[in-house]
Amino acid sequence: GALRRALKEAEVEGVKESELAEMRETYENWTALVREVEVASSLARTGRLRGAIDCATVAGVDFAQLGWAQKTFESLVLRDKAEEKLRKAMDQRCIESLGRALRHAHDCNLQSRPLLNAGVALLTRLKGLKAAVDDAVVGHDLIRVHEAVKAGRTDPALPEESVGKAAILLKALRQEESRTFRMRMEQAKEDRDFRSPDTLVS
């Protein structure tokens, strides 16, 4: 930077060390501050980088030396927001929101592979559960609807609105099954009564 060049020029011109002491101390301080900025950036720690940039700026480090760090900081802020958005979408378990959050996280270069892998796995599971629920509703089969609703409500579960239609259908199918069963029982009872020995004797 400019300060370093000024020091070198002063040394070449034979300026006394005592006269350069303050400038050299400032240079060493700036060098340490810029080094901290570089370390914070390499670690991709948003808070630490923000603090390092602020300290260097207050100390008077040339902004030209910090421009790249500011851009890195802005990227990290976007990354952190993408991570927060992804975690929220995973908690809500909405297929559409989760898909968007995963794409956004990828675009923002989110580095947390465990979180990304968990998000992808959750999205795959939710899509499978939703497809099973939709197919069961179309099939109108009591057992399939029951199994689909049960699976859809097993953690990590689908949002209730994704299971609601199938749950209503399941209730209707159970009621229909119950009515059919009662009718058959009544018919069977009548058949047995009709064939009872007392009736035959009389």
Side-chain angles (χ1 to χ4, degrees), residues 5-121:
R5 288 194 298 272
L7 274 171
K8 286 186 175 296
E9 291 172 359
E11 290 170 352
V12 170
E13 293 173 3
V15 178
K16 294 180 180 180
E17 183 63 31
S18 60
E19 296 177 3
L20 296 176
E22 184 177 349
M23 186 183 294
R24 193 179 300 282
E25 182 181 354
T26 299
Y27 172 71
E28 291 174 354
N29 183 40
W30 284 8
T31 299
L33 290 171
V34 171
R35 177 56 181 163
E36 170 59 17
V37 170
E38 293 171 346
V39 171
S41 177
S42 66
L43 294 174
R45 302 279 180 82
T46 309
R48 181 171 175 176
L49 181 55
R50 175 73 278 169
I53 292 173
D54 288 346
C55 287
T57 301
V58 170
V61 176
D62 186 3
F63 181 77
Q65 291 184 267
L66 301 175
W68 66 270
Q70 183 62 36
K71 291 181 179 179
T72 300
F73 171 74
E74 291 169 0
S75 296
L76 292 178
V77 169
L78 292 176
R79 179 206 65 182
D80 292 348
K81 288 181 178 179
E83 179 175 341
E84 181 182 356
K85 181 178 180 180
L86 177 55
R87 291 185 184 279
K88 184 176 180 180
M90 291 174 68
D91 288 340
Q92 294 175 338
R93 300 187 303 280
C94 173
I95 293 174
E96 292 76 12
S97 297
L98 181 54
R100 287 194 298 269
L102 281 168
R103 289 191 293 272
H104 183 59
H106 181 268
D107 293 341
C108 292
N109 198 30
L110 182 61
Q111 298 297 316
S112 178
R113 295 309 309 176
L115 179 61
L116 288 171
N117 291 340
V120 171

Side-chain angles (χ1 to χ4, degrees), residues 174-190:
R174 282 173 170 167
Q175 290 174 345
E176 181 181 347
E177 181 79 4
S178 179
R179 285 195 299 270
T180 301
F181 178 76
R182 286 198 303 271
M183 289 174 61
R184 289 176 178 172
M185 287 296 294
E186 290 172 0
Q187 185 62 49
K189 182 178 179 181
E190 291 177 1

